């Protein structure tokens, strides 16, 4: 009971209560000893006295006892080995019954980090060029309006003439150009590119939103966790959505049309096709990320009552292109380590070394291997034994290029178009 004037109640108890507790403990222990004695657990094991010293032939008796003991141990080991052999035979029989064909030896892959393992999906049939091309053809055949999404940093490098010709040959389809990621280049450059591209096809400037609703609780938790490490002070509002929707609504309301307007999105990897759908839908309807090739299959999303958009995998770049173009546009860069290292080497050869040193805060380097080693040590990318993980550093460098960390842009046609590789 708490007495007045005290903050806490006293832990002292009355003597009668304490004696009752002690009595119950003694009775409980007595009961346990009685039960153990009845079961034989409490009896002490009698000690082996051995052979007395006065016994005749003591040495012979001890020798016979030792030999008997050794024989028992040998028999015990033989039985143990026999059991192990029987178990091994049973395992072999079960394995032969389940899989009669002998399994081929698997090639051991070098140890890599989880990020590289996620990006390397060689055994996935959806990674094949044939599958990606078939999914892209499905989108083109099923859609009435084709939107070719271009990266504002390099619009000409993102255009695919073969794809545009294939769309125009069908005759009954309309082709639009969408200049995405306009927030990563100067405003004057965007205006000049719009003037150049509008001479060929209708062109819309667009900036995807970086903040939208989550479809599940897990996505919301993941976004909140990512926000703690990512600076989101930049604008998160979408730009260009109203202009694009007005243009699509005009196509949808044309005379003689019935049903939904099917709009297909095509373009190279990581130009923002899935982000465009999420921005128009104002929720996370498609998976997006810095890594290229997240979208592997045809998927359609209803934007409104009259418009349905279809997302497609990225266009597969031909191997005849330059190494720098393949490094920025190709899906196959993530397939193996050698291609990733070659892509970084080709990009570094065309970059300004001083700008790279300032961007990553690294000292002067002689070649790409030395740069990746320094970057891996600086970021803490290590393998077993403390060796720097240059493959993960190369993947990080490529992600910076495809993302928004490294700033670069190319000039419009009227200003002597140049490669966008230099920073």
């Amino acid at each position: 009971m708490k007495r007045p004037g005290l903050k806490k109640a006293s832990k002292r108890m009355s003597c009668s209560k304490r004696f009752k507790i002690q009595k119950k403990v003694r009775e409980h222990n007595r009961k346990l000893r009685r039960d153990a004695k009845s079961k034989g657990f409490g009896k002490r094991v009698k000690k082996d006295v051995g052979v007395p010293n006065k016994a005749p032939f003591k040495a012979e008796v001890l020798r016979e006892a030792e030999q008997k003991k050794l024989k028992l141990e040998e028999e015990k080991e033989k039985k143990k080995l026999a059991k192990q052999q029987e178990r091994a035979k049973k395992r072999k029989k079960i394995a032969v019954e389940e899989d009669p064909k002998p399994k081929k030896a698997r090639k051991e892959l070098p140890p890599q980090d989880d990020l590289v393992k996620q990006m390397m999906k060689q055994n996935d049939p959806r990674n094949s060029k044939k599958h990606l091309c078939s999914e892209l053809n499905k989108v083109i055949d099923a859609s009435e309006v084709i939107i070719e999404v271009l990266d504002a940093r390099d619009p000409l490098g993102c255009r695919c003439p073969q794809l545009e010709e294939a769309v125009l040959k069908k005759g009954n389809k309309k082709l639009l150009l969408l200049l995405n990621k306009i927030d990563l280049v100067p405003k004057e450059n965007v205006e000049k590119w719009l003037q150049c591209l509008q001479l060929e096809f209708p062109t819309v400037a667009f900036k995807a939103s970086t903040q939208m609703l989550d479809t599940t609780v897990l996505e919301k938790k993941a976004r909140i966790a990512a926000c703690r490490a990512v600076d989101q002070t930049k604008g998160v509002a979408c730009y260009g959505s109203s202009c694009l929707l007005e243009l699509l609504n005009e196509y949808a309301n044309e005379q003689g049309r019935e049903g939904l307007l099917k709009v297909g999105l095509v373009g190279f990897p990581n130009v923002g096709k899935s982000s465009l759908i999420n921005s128009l839908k104002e929720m996370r309807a498609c998976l997006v990320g810095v890594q290229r090739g997240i979208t592997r299959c045809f998927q359609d999303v209803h934007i409104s009552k009259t418009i349905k958009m279809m997302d497609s995998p990225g266009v597969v770049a031909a191997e005849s292109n330059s190494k720098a173009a393949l490094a920025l546009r190709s899906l196959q860069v993530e397939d193996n380590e050698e291609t990733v290292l070659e892509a970084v080497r080709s990009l570094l050869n065309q970059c300004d070394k001083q700008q790279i040193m300032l961007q990553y805060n690294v000292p002067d380097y002689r070649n790409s291997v030395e740069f990746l080693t320094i970057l891996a040590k600086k970021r803490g990318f290590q393998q077993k034994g403390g060796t720097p993980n240059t493959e993960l550093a190369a993947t990080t460098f490529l992600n910076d290029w495809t993302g928004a960390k490294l700033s670069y842009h190319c000039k419009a046609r009227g200003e002597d178009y140049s490669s966008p590789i230099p920073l």
Side-chain angles (χ1 to χ4, degrees), residues 60-74:
E60 294 177 1
V61 173
L62 290 174
R63 198 180 302 114
E64 288 178 1
E66 188 67 24
Q67 290 176 357
K68 190 176 180 180
K69 186 178 179 181
L70 291 173
K71 285 181 180 180
L72 290 173
E73 289 180 355
E74 289 177 0

Side-chain angles (χ1 to χ4, degrees), residues 163-219:
L163 179 66
E164 294 176 3
E165 289 178 6
V167 173
L168 294 175
K169 281 181 181 178
K170 299 195 175 181
N172 57 346
K173 300 184 185 297
K174 298 180 181 179
L175 181 63
L176 302 179
L177 300 181
L178 187 137
L179 208 60
N180 197 14
K181 303 182 182 181
I182 59 174
D183 56 322
L184 303 181
V185 296
K187 183 178 179 181
E188 298 79 10
N189 199 32
V190 175
E191 293 175 352
K192 290 175 181 177
W193 270 115
L194 285 174
Q195 293 174 2
C196 293
L197 296 174
Q198 283 176 352
L199 298 175
E200 301 181 38
F201 300 103
T203 309
V204 180
F206 195 84
K207 171 189 169 293
S209 175
T210 58
Q211 190 176 22
M212 55 200 70
L213 299 176
D214 303 302
T215 55
T216 62
V217 178
L218 293 176
E219 288 182 359

Side-chain angles (χ1 to χ4, degrees), residues 30-42:
R30 194 182 299 116
K31 185 179 180 181
L32 292 178
R33 287 195 299 270
R34 186 170 61 251
D35 294 342
K37 188 176 180 181
S38 63
K39 293 177 182 179
F41 296 137

